[in-house]
Amino acid sequence: MSNRAIIVEQGDITRMAVDAIVNAANQQMLGGGGVDGAIHRAAGPELLAACRAVPEVRPGVRCPVGSVRWTPAFRLPSRHVFHTVGPVWRGGGYGEPELLASCYRRCVELAVYMGVRTLAFPAISCGVYGYPLDQAAEVSVATLRNSLNDETPLDAVYLVAFGQDMYQAWLTALGD
Ligand code: APR
């Protein structure tokens, strides 16, 4: 898959009729605000039940930072939800770029494993978790370019910005 199939859009990821959408979750995976709250509202209560069924790897942690967990998408137009947990921004010196990159990379790996052809990401960590938008845009685009090659059986990866600022940050990062 070449770079041209990384597509930036502005909109609501819960309306994306793709094979899988990515949720910017927290380690407990019991819902929250932001895109997590929007996805749970649109998916319906079955999503919370499916998240609860994901085993804890340690008390209070179903999905460690930088990892990914799968659930069905229930009432969403997509088929799958990939729950990933981005790093909380603490200034950049605590492994945040590597952890954010891991979120994007693990979701692509899971997509390839599951035969997903179209995948949509929100701007992981760029809301409550405070990651600077331009730095997150650079990390996400670089990671996707490294993870996607002509052998990757993905037709398209969408970067779905809710706000204009993230939309511009991703366009800038793609244009580099
Ligand atoms: N579609 C696409 N993007 C959205 C939507 C939506 N419907 N709603 C919000 N966003 C965007 C935000 O504008 C932001 O750019 O998603 C990006 C990520 O912001 P958050 O949802 O706050 O996620 P994050 O910063 O990773 O913080 C995760 O917030 O909601 C809680 O449970 C979640 O504890 C976790 C934390």
Side-chain angles (χ1 to χ4, degrees):
M1 172 176 154
S2 69
N3 288 345
R4 62 173 162 74
I6 299 175
I7 304 151
V8 183
E9 294 205 351
Q10 186 169 354
D12 177 351
I13 199 167
T14 66
R15 305 178 66 79
M16 294 288 287
V18 291
D19 289 344
I21 63 168
V22 174
N23 180 23
N26 58 54
Q27 296 190 87
Q28 272 197 313
M29 281 183 64
L30 298 182
V35 70
D36 196 5
I39 286 173
H40 276 269
R41 277 191 300 279
E46 302 93 332
L47 181 60
L48 182 56
C51 289
R52 282 191 197 287
V54 173
E56 291 188 329
V57 291
R58 52 184 180 272
V61 177
R62 289 184 173 79
C63 183
V65 179
S67 298
V68 63
R69 294 291 186 271
W70 168 85
T71 68
F74 300 107
R75 302 177 197 177
L76 284 161
S78 58
R79 287 168 49 214
H80 309 286
V81 180
F82 292 176
H83 305 262
T84 194
V85 180
V88 174
W89 179 257
R90 296 191 290 159
Y94 296 86
E96 297 98 316
E98 294 72 24
L99 286 166
L100 185 63
S102 176
C103 290
Y104 286 90
R105 185 170 54 252
R106 295 280 182 91
C107 286
V108 169
E109 289 166 356
L110 181 58
V112 170
Y113 176 75
M114 294 186 72
V116 159
R117 306 304 295 251
T118 52
L119 174 64
F121 287 95
I124 301 161
S125 285
C126 292
V128 166
Y129 283 0
Y131 211 110
L133 307 191
D134 53 342
Q135 295 186 55
E138 292 294 333
V139 168
S140 49
V141 167
T143 303
L144 288 172
R145 283 176 168 161
N146 289 334
S147 305
L148 302 169
N149 54 52
D150 289 342
E151 284 71 54
T152 313
L154 272 159
D155 297 331
V157 174
Y158 296 90
L159 298 173
V160 183
F162 202 51
Q164 177 71 24
D165 48 359
M166 194 64 214
Y167 179 71
Q168 285 301 329
W170 262 329
L171 287 181
T172 303
L174 270 182
D176 288 355

